[in-house]
Amino acid sequence: METRALTARTSTESTRDIPEATVARLPVYLRALTTLCEAGTITCSSEELASAAGVNSAKLRKDLSYLGSYGTRGVGYDVDYLRYQIAREIGVTQDWPVVIVGIGNLGHALANYSGFRSRGFRVVALLDADPNRHEEVVAGVDVRPFDDLEQIVKEHGVAIGVIATPALAAQDVANRMVASGISSILNFAPAVLSVPEGVDVRKVDLSIELQILAYHEQRKTHGATA
Amino acid sequence: METRALTARTSTESTRDIPEATVARLPVYLRALTTLCEAGTITCSSEELASAAGVNSAKLRKDLSYLGSYGTRGVGYDVDYLRYQIAREIGVTQDWPVVIVGIGNLGHALANYSGFRSRGFRVVALLDADPNRHEEVVAGVDVRPFDDLEQIVKEHGVAIGVIATPALAAQDVANRMVASGISSILNFAPAVLSVPEGVDVRKVDLSIELQILAYHEQRKTHGATA
DNA sequence: AGGAGTTTGTGAACGGGAGAACAAACCGAG
DNA sequence: CTCGGTTTGTTCTCCCGTTCACAAACTCCT
């Protein structure tokens, strides 16, 4: 009778529906906590953690409150405990298999990026349409033909794909990924992807970021071009 | 008596104070327009352009309205004219000199990325603290010692810097950049930078994007781990 | 010239996130 | 046990951004 049925979960814990803005900050908190942890810190206040993460302390506390009450009033948060809780909420307590398509300059860099491995992701395959690259071994993983995508996805249970191809190829790659069963895509190609309902796409665009900076930069020195 | 005094500008054109969310979308429109232009399209409606950019048409129209009235009712927008207007508003009608610090995997990829050159940016220098790299030439630009930063910035009038170093070095690099006169920073290092008032920092974090995808992915297959 | 059809530009309602401020809860000292 | 100091969790308010809906404006056809 109630809409509750939709939000009710089997689990005994975890209040669901975390705001999107909060979800985007959780990884930042996670990194800050890891840094604190490595520095030997046992406990920290919301003020300290907020400062380490570069956000407002009130915002931090509100964000954490969506996950539950993991702090202790008058004391603060247990660094290691909170770190685990956030990692669990995000889902990076165990590794996610990932495929990267497009082994150009950027693909190389991504394959070699150690931050993936250390933060819950494992590159299980590198794919490229160019046969000349199929001899290569990058970061300990050999480059394979793009047509192997479906088999690899099935074999490793891959849910997340990274697109690092030229813009023209991006939509085709996305289509094949979706057809193979991938339901989350990180797109580095400068192209707008259209995907079916239920598939998440996040886009990282290097030149757009620079253009945004250029806009503000232009403002700073507006009329003073002499 | 009115707050108008604050928003009034000397220029005869350009209504100022464009919302930040709009600024972030202008480069997307610019790219969509360029694509349309290359396809030979002369005119397009807000609906078409919005679809090409992957946004709502009402949002597109409102965004464009902040720049002025560049469309024609009953007709649409002149592709080439609008393209120029947006480029001018962003400030990419002429090239911005850019320095990249940290020539590891990612730095290499960035230096070779053709999208910068074609979108109003010119890499004038590659810097690295490691003397072993100073022999290298990447993308036609030779890698120079980090200590040359100030001289290069002065010489070329560089206002925008890109940080592609490990996390530990990022803050130091940022400090040196600011001291040299750079006032806009694009940071790829997984670290929170603190900079003085007036300096803009944008952050691109590869693993955070993946973590956000992982969160949603975990939801899709919530209790069905069987 | 006039009217039908089309598309822009914008006013207004709506929803979500940011930040301030405070009550509830915890620790430790006496 | 009580009290003062500290820090969390949460409520409330404000502001930005999104979206709807419609009037204004333009073209084309008759």
Side-chain angles (χ1 to χ4, degrees), chain A residues 61-126:
Chain A
R61 288 199 299 277
K62 179 174 280 194
D63 283 342
L64 294 184
S65 76
Y66 290 116
L67 312 188
S69 288
Y70 295 135
T72 308
R73 301 179 189 215
V75 179
Y77 301 92
D78 181 291
V79 173
D80 210 51
Y81 180 59
L82 182 58
R83 195 168 75 97
Y84 172 74
Q85 292 299 339
I86 292 180
R88 191 179 53 80
E89 190 68 38
I90 297 177
V92 291
T93 42
Q94 77 274 14
D95 276 7
W96 289 86
V98 170
V99 294
I100 299 177
V101 177
I103 314 302
N105 285 308
L106 184 57
H108 259 93
L110 294 173
N112 280 299
Y113 183 47
S114 60
F116 288 161
R117 169 60 75 106
S118 67
R119 289 188 184 86
F121 302 93
R122 188 164 35 91
V123 177
V124 296
L126 305 175

Side-chain angles (χ1 to χ4, degrees), chain A residues 31 184 202 205 209 217, chain B residues 31 184 202 205 209 217:
Chain A
R31 163 149 45 228
S184 290
R202 290 193 68 88
D205 194 306
E209 298 299 324
E217 194 60 42
Chain B
R31 163 148 46 226
S184 290
R202 291 192 68 88
D205 194 307
E209 297 299 324
E217 193 60 43

Side-chain angles (χ1 to χ4, degrees), chain A residues 9-10 15-18 20 23-24 26-28 30-31 51-54 88-92 96 98 105-106 108-110 112-113 115-116 119 121 159-162 183-186 188 190-192 198-222, chain B residues 9-10 15-18 20 23-24 26-28 30-31 51-54 88-92 96 98 105-106 108-110 112-113 115-116 119 121 159-162 183-186 188 190-192 198-220 222-223:
Chain A
R9 285 320 192 84
T10 56
T15 333
R16 298 291 150 175
D17 55 279
I18 297 177
E20 195 53 36
V23 171
L26 289 181
V28 180
L30 185 56
R31 163 149 45 228
S51 149
R88 191 179 53 80
E89 190 68 38
I90 297 177
V92 291
W96 289 86
V98 170
N105 285 308
L106 184 57
H108 259 93
L110 294 173
N112 280 299
Y113 183 47
F116 288 161
R119 289 188 184 86
F121 302 93
I160 301 177
V162 177
S183 49
S184 290
I185 296 176
L186 181 54
F188 287 90
V192 176
V199 177
D200 281 327
V201 175
R202 290 193 68 88
K203 189 179 157 191
V204 174
D205 194 306
L206 311 178
S207 64
I208 282 185
E209 298 299 324
L210 276 187
Q211 291 180 43
I212 295 171
L213 285 176
Y215 171 82
H216 294 295
E217 194 60 42
Q218 191 189 31
R219 285 295 167 91
K220 291 176 191 169
T221 56
H222 50 291
Chain B
R9 284 318 195 85
T10 57
T15 332
R16 299 291 150 176
D17 55 277
I18 297 177
E20 195 52 38
V23 171
L26 289 181
V28 180
L30 186 56
R31 163 148 46 226
S51 148
R88 189 179 54 81
E89 190 69 37
I90 298 177
V92 291
W96 290 87
V98 170
N105 285 306
L106 184 57
H108 259 93
L110 294 174
N112 280 298
Y113 182 47
F116 289 160
R119 289 190 183 84
F121 302 92
I160 301 177
V162 177
S183 49
S184 290
I185 296 176
L186 181 54
F188 286 91
V192 177
V199 177
D200 281 326
V201 175
R202 291 192 68 88
K203 188 178 157 194
V204 174
D205 194 307
L206 310 178
S207 64
I208 283 186
E209 297 299 324
L210 276 186
Q211 289 179 43
I212 295 171
L213 284 177
Y215 171 82
H216 292 295
E217 193 60 43
Q218 191 188 32
R219 286 296 167 90
K220 291 177 192 170
H222 49 291

Side-chain angles (χ1 to χ4, degrees), chain B residues 64-86:
Chain B
L64 294 184
S65 76
Y66 291 115
L67 311 189
S69 289
Y70 296 134
T72 308
R73 301 182 188 213
V75 179
Y77 301 92
D78 181 292
V79 172
D80 210 50
Y81 179 59
L82 182 58
R83 194 167 76 96
Y84 173 74
Q85 292 300 338
I86 293 180

